[in-house]
Amino acid sequence: MAHRMSMNDFAVLSTGRKMPLVGLGTWKSEPGQVKQAVIWALQSGYRHIDCAPIYGNEPEIGEAFQEMMGPEKGIRREDVFVTSKLWNTKHHPDDVEPCSPKNLSYIVVVLNLNEFNSAVECKREQRNSSVASIKPTVLQVESHPYLAQVELLAHCRDRSLVMTAYSPLGSPDRAWKHPEEPVLLEEPAIAALAKKYNKTPAQIIIRWQTQRGVVTIPKSITESRIKENIQVFDFTLEPEEMNQVTAVHRGWRYIVPTITVDGKSVPRDAAHPHYPFNDPY
Ligand code: NAP
């Protein structure tokens, strides 16, 4: 049976628009797999899909939308929140339209600025005018218990920005995963809470984010996990349990673009004057 959404399942943007707190991530979801994943997600109650042309799979995601949405298909297009993103070389207004999935009346365009992403909500008809003049409403950054982003979240709240957490499960299917890196889904403090609530570690992590008002976009192409990841609205972590999850923070960033210099792997953008990853913001 499809999960029923309640009002608590949304973050409210400064525009008044509601953004579902759990969305489906689609980076690394290959063509041939992603259409079915999006269909399972929509059938399971997801109303938020996180996309990008750079992921190379938006045409198939569009096929899933066409199959699932529209008159007599049960899901209205305007009920589904779709995020897409412009790569760093695609910020000119002329590049925006070709980058956006077709047949979408609303879209959120994320401008990737030196990996420090700010998002603007815009309507299709406004898109070709001046996206830069639209006040940002969402900040999409890496966040999970090992990178809790406490200061950044406070900073966002002060500015009426909603934070979206990418790689919320630690992105275990990344090509550059290091064998010695900490494994978020095996964190003992989270496993203990999973046992207490008869939930999985992924559900505890997603619940922690949603309970502090952070949007999460876990990626999966597995039907059971897609369903599992949105079943986080039937339990509540105690305040001290919220603090326990936040306390496992270790400033660990899984998504750091690297290049090889003199045989060594180093952060790609570290010499940039606005490199953001050394600051808490
Ligand atoms: P993630 O969501 O943290 O992790 C995805 C991995 O976790 C996949 O291997 C998935 O496996 C597995 N998984 C999913 N649910 C699970 C569960 N319940 N239990 C155990 N394992 C589970 O990683 P991510 O893809 O890096 O991040 C999520 C999304 O954020 C991306 O897909 C993308 O949409 C967005 N993102 C944005 C940026 C940006 O620069 N703005 C950067 C990174 C990511 P299966 O698929 O095999 O089920």
Side-chain angles (χ1 to χ4, degrees):
M1 194 205 288
H3 169 79
R4 273 177 66 82
M5 290 265 184
S6 77
M7 290 301 285
N8 292 335
D9 300 337
F10 296 90
V12 180
L13 305 185
S14 55
T15 57
R17 191 167 163 79
K18 290 174 182 168
M19 183 176 193
L21 282 168
V22 178
L24 181 74
T26 61
W27 174 40
K28 306 172 264 69
S29 301
E30 299 296 328
Q33 298 174 319
V34 72
K35 179 179 172 185
Q36 184 60 66
V38 172
I39 289 173
W40 282 327
L42 292 171
Q43 287 171 337
S44 308
Y46 287 69
R47 294 293 179 266
H48 173 185
I49 312 290
D50 185 84
C51 318
I54 197 82
Y55 301 162
N57 55 13
E58 280 190 338
E60 250 196 54
I61 293 173
E63 284 174 29
F65 289 168
Q66 288 197 331
E67 215 165 291
M68 295 294 291
M69 295 176 202
E72 295 164 22
K73 291 184 188 165
I75 301 177
R76 297 182 311 165
R77 170 61 192 97
E78 56 267 37
D79 291 339
V80 181
F81 198 100
V82 181
T83 300
S84 191
K85 316 184 189 79
L86 301 174
W87 196 243
N88 292 328
T89 51
K90 300 286 182 190
H91 291 179
H92 190 274
D94 292 346
D95 292 328
V96 174
E97 183 74 21
C99 278
S100 59
K102 303 293 175 246
N103 302 315
L104 301 183
S105 53
Y106 285 90
I107 191 169
V108 170
V109 179
V110 178
L111 304 174
N112 277 17
L113 303 172
N114 302 311
E115 309 302 328
F116 190 57
N117 304 325
S118 72
V120 292
E121 185 188 12
C122 66
K123 292 181 181 172
R124 173 174 275 280
E125 59 270 22
Q126 292 171 334
R127 205 184 298 139
N128 283 331
S129 52
S130 171
V131 285
S133 68
I134 300 168
K135 195 173 170 237
T137 55
V138 179
L139 181 67
Q140 185 177 130
V141 290
E142 179 175 343
S143 178
H144 41 70
Y146 286 161
L147 191 67
Q149 301 279 29
V150 171
E151 291 103 326
L152 184 58
L153 182 55
H155 185 78
C156 286
R157 284 189 183 131
D158 284 350
R159 284 154 187 78
S160 304
L161 273 170
V162 166
M163 196 168 105
T164 298
Y166 71 65
S167 304
L169 306 178
S171 197
D173 55 346
R174 266 165 304 122
W176 65 86
K177 203 166 103 172
H178 195 277
E180 281 162 27
E181 71 184 29
V183 181
L184 179 64
L185 289 171
E186 293 174 7
E187 165 61 41
I190 292 168
L193 290 171
K195 191 165 178 226
K196 172 180 170 185
Y197 286 101
N198 198 21
K199 291 282 181 183
T200 64
Q203 287 172 316
I204 297 295
I205 291 168
I206 297 166
R207 177 69 209 179
W208 167 75
Q209 293 283 24
T210 59
Q211 211 169 302
R212 58 183 201 151
V214 174
V215 174
T216 49
I217 46 172
K219 171 264 175 188
S220 181
I221 50 163
T222 310
E223 184 177 12
S224 58
R225 287 172 168 174
I226 290 169
K227 288 187 173 150
E228 176 185 319
N229 292 344
I230 202 169
Q231 278 161 12
V232 296
F233 297 103
D234 55 356
F235 74 111
T236 305
L237 296 170
E238 304 289 342
E240 63 271 25
E241 292 169 341
M242 288 293 290
N243 291 338
Q244 283 165 19
V245 178
T246 307
V248 306
H249 169 82
R250 48 163 92 184
W252 185 270
R253 211 176 273 282
Y254 289 104
I255 310 294
V256 181
T258 54
I259 51 170
T260 304
V261 177
D262 298 333
K264 280 192 194 150
S265 180
V266 294
R268 185 192 64 194
D269 306 316
H272 193 282
H274 301 302
Y275 184 67
F277 290 169
N278 298 327
D279 299 328
Y281 301 109

